[in-house]
Amino acid sequence: MAVGTAAAAVVSAGWSAGASGAGASGDGRWRLVAHEEFDRPLRVDGSPWRLDPQGPRSPWAVDAFDDDGAAWKKISGPLFERQMKTLNVFRKRVAFGREGWLTAEVAAVDKDRDGRPDSRPGLSAVTLPGGHNVARISEPKWDAGVLIRPTRPLPRYYRVEMTLRGIQFGGKRGGTFDYNGRHNGYTREPCKTRYPWTFQGALPGKSRCQYPDVTRENGFYYLTILDHANPAPHGNPGIHFRRKVIMDGYYSDDARWKNAATCNPKTRTMYRTFDGTFNGINALFPRGDLFRETANNNISNEYYAKTACGEASMDRRYGPGGRFEGHLTSAELRPELMPKAAYRFAIERDRTGYTLEMSGPFLHTGQTTLRVHHDFVENGRPIWHYNQTPGEYDGRFDRRLVHKGPAGTYTTEHNWPKGSAYPDSFIIGDPHLNYYEGEAFVDDVRLYIPKNQR
């Protein structure tokens, strides 16, 4: 269900806009090897919940920045462990698609420890008006997460695609964040907070409802590549250290982002994100050479963005006269056009680097395809953990990081050592157990490999 023809070509700052077949399998480089159309029922919602045992032996363990990981325990001390004991996390892991090539990861918090999740997130097959069979990602509450991911790591070179048929994960509608009895996509119950996960660790003297409110920040991961084989929803800080390339939406009415910019791909000019519709798509490359030396304590990379309006790094101001700072968003969706219209997102990995692609009727442009490529290492700037094998990387960007918190420090002696390797795995959905709320409709997940590759 590919998106249709596009506007006239525009080329700027590495981005190209043109026919929506550009870069797709139609150019002869790619061969389709897996495809999910969601035309059969899914068994995810009927599958039983499983209590996550936590700790390094958990099937969902990744590293020291897990939900109950060593990093949080060191920087927070006993307070964090006491807070973790006030809740449980229940999960589902369900393979689906031909030969089980995709996996649904669903998780929800049990805050009162009564033995069952406090909300009912899920993934189901539904039919939209117009007859489109799609997967419905449903998160009725913020204390949960739902992801679609590959069951096995991606091949060395690939193209992965998904089609979006509908989205309700925040942003403005009709010029306001307040609609359908919600604010920014969240229902209006009190005590929707980040508890117990923050970048600074546990917050001394703060109870659950005194933690920072989350309802000003909503979003969705349209298509993103992570650096490990078993992505699943976790407390939100951890994922900021695991992303290779990102296409996501982040919809915040927080004044901290008042100077961020959004690109108009048609005119190749930037405008204040706060002057737009807050339905933007970020196309970001986490930097493997630069980390935030702020209160985040090196838990998060800086990002580099390429758009039709120019390029930007979050560690410095950008745009005409250095007017802007923060995220530079590539384009804005028009949710009101779906499901009749659709958006396609794709990521390619070839011998030189990663290409991000988005197609659809964006605000200001009409039907357009935008593509951008970033070499694995470009102008001395590496994509974080780009190497799938030890032979693709020589150790030059390895460094020691010290993560500081209210009770102590956690040291990562080698954040990217020589001899390391990081498999590629994509995610679609919401990977945060303490952020984001809404629903989305996903269609046509496809995996391609080069035509000459077995």
Side-chain angles (χ1 to χ4, degrees):
M1 300 178 188
V3 184
T5 57
V10 177
V11 179
S12 176
W15 273 97
S16 64
S20 52
S25 57
D27 67 7
R29 293 190 297 128
W30 302 102
R31 175 167 59 89
L32 182 68
V33 292
H35 182 199
E36 176 57 43
E37 295 181 289
F38 302 105
D39 55 355
R40 291 172 295 178
L42 296 172
R43 58 185 180 89
V44 178
D45 290 356
S47 298
W49 290 101
R50 179 179 176 186
L51 177 65
D52 188 341
Q54 302 293 344
R57 294 184 179 180
S58 167
W60 293 275
V62 182
D63 58 22
F65 296 94
D66 286 337
D67 294 339
D68 66 336
W72 311 120
K73 292 176 181 178
K74 286 284 282 187
I75 70 176
S76 302
L79 175 60
F80 179 72
E81 294 190 64
R82 289 198 299 269
Q83 291 182 343
M84 280 298 296
K85 289 178 181 177
T86 68
L87 58 86
N88 285 324
V89 178
F90 282 88
R91 298 184 179 275
K92 299 180 183 184
R93 173 175 285 172
V94 183
F96 67 94
R98 186 172 182 180
E99 298 180 352
W101 80 280
L102 294 173
T103 290
E105 292 279 1
V106 184
V109 174
D110 171 15
K111 294 184 289 298
D112 56 10
R113 293 172 63 92
D114 66 353
R116 56 186 180 183
D118 295 342
S119 63
R120 290 292 183 270
L123 182 74
S124 58
V126 300
T127 302
L128 295 177
H132 300 292
N133 297 315
V134 299
R136 177 180 182 249
I137 293 175
S138 174
E139 283 189 46
K141 300 292 183 183
W142 89 110
D143 54 1
V146 181
L147 291 178
I148 298 171
R149 68 168 177 90
T151 301
R152 293 174 293 277
L154 295 170
R156 187 173 187 182
Y157 307 123
Y158 60 82
R159 174 183 169 93
V160 60
E161 299 177 357
M162 82 85 155
T163 298
L164 183 74
R165 290 280 175 189
I167 185 75
Q168 295 291 339
F169 268 92
K172 287 185 176 180
R173 301 292 186 274
T176 178
F177 281 103
D178 297 302
Y179 48 90
N180 299 331
R182 298 170 178 256
H183 175 75
N184 197 20
Y186 288 90
T187 57
R188 295 181 179 274
E189 296 92 346
C191 197
K192 293 194 170 186
T193 72
R194 299 181 57 180
Y195 181 93
W197 298 289
T198 78
F199 285 99
Q200 296 80 33
L203 304 181
K206 301 289 186 182
S207 66
R208 182 189 305 276
C209 293
Q210 291 173 324
Y211 264 61
D213 179 83
V214 304
T215 59
R216 301 186 70 178
E217 300 170 79
N218 212 342
F220 190 80
Y221 282 72
Y222 297 99
L223 196 59
T224 287
I225 303 298
L226 302 190
D227 69 354
H228 62 285
N230 63 329
H234 293 283
N236 77 302
I239 194 175
H240 290 77
F241 211 52
R242 297 165 178 157
R243 299 177 293 186
K244 295 193 180 190
V245 294
I246 306 166
M247 279 193 292
D248 74 345
Y250 176 68
Y251 309 124
S252 172
D253 66 347
D254 193 323
R256 290 178 303 171
W257 301 103
K258 65 181 179 180
N259 293 321
T262 297
C263 176
N264 178 336
K266 184 176 182 178
T267 62
R268 288 175 279 176
T269 58
M270 301 176 192
Y271 58 92
R272 287 177 72 244
T273 297
F274 265 58
D275 295 331
T277 70
F278 283 86
N279 289 290
I281 304 296
N282 302 307
L284 302 173
F285 301 94
R287 295 182 60 166
D289 63 330
L290 194 61
F291 297 83
R292 297 189 188 182
E293 302 285 353
T294 65
N296 290 14
N297 301 310
N298 293 331
I299 289 174
S300 180
N301 313 69
E302 290 288 355
Y303 311 122
Y304 195 82
K306 292 184 175 185
T307 77
C309 301
E311 305 181 5
S313 186
M314 285 186 66
D315 67 317
R316 64 196 67 179
R317 300 184 72 88
Y318 60 88
R323 176 185 175 192
F324 300 110
E325 61 182 345
H327 289 111
L328 174 57
T329 298
S330 299
E332 293 198 75
L333 299 177
R334 298 185 64 191
E336 71 277 8
L337 300 182
M338 295 183 278
K340 184 176 181 180
Y343 294 86
R344 187 189 64 207
F345 299 92
I347 295 176
E348 299 171 5
R349 187 184 195 270
D350 62 19
R351 295 179 183 275
T352 62
Y354 290 91
T355 299
L356 307 184
E357 176 186 293
M358 56 185 80
S359 301
F362 299 107
L363 187 68
H364 306 300
T365 69
Q367 188 71 32
T368 306
T369 292
L370 302 171
R371 284 172 57 86
V372 64
H373 180 85
H374 194 299
D375 290 345
F376 294 131
V377 182
E378 189 172 288
N379 299 323
R381 182 183 62 244
I383 293 175
W384 174 243
H385 283 178
Y386 66 80
N387 57 305
Q388 290 186 355
T389 64
E392 294 176 308
Y393 169 67
D394 59 10
R396 76 181 76 174
F397 300 110
D398 187 28
R399 64 177 289 184
R400 180 176 183 265
L401 297 179
V402 178
H403 317 278
K404 299 177 182 179
T409 61
Y410 178 82
T411 301
T412 302
E413 292 292 347
H414 296 280
N415 74 335
W416 196 358
K418 182 178 181 179
S420 60
Y422 305 92
D424 283 25
S425 188
F426 68 78
I427 60 170
I428 301 166
D430 170 24
H432 304 321
L433 279 177
N434 57 338
Y435 268 94
Y436 299 174
E437 182 177 307
E439 68 175 9
F441 298 94
V442 174
D443 198 1
D444 280 344
V445 181
R446 302 174 185 236
L447 176 63
Y448 300 84
I449 61 173
K451 270 200 168 180
N452 60 359
Q453 179 178 313
R454 294 185 64 182

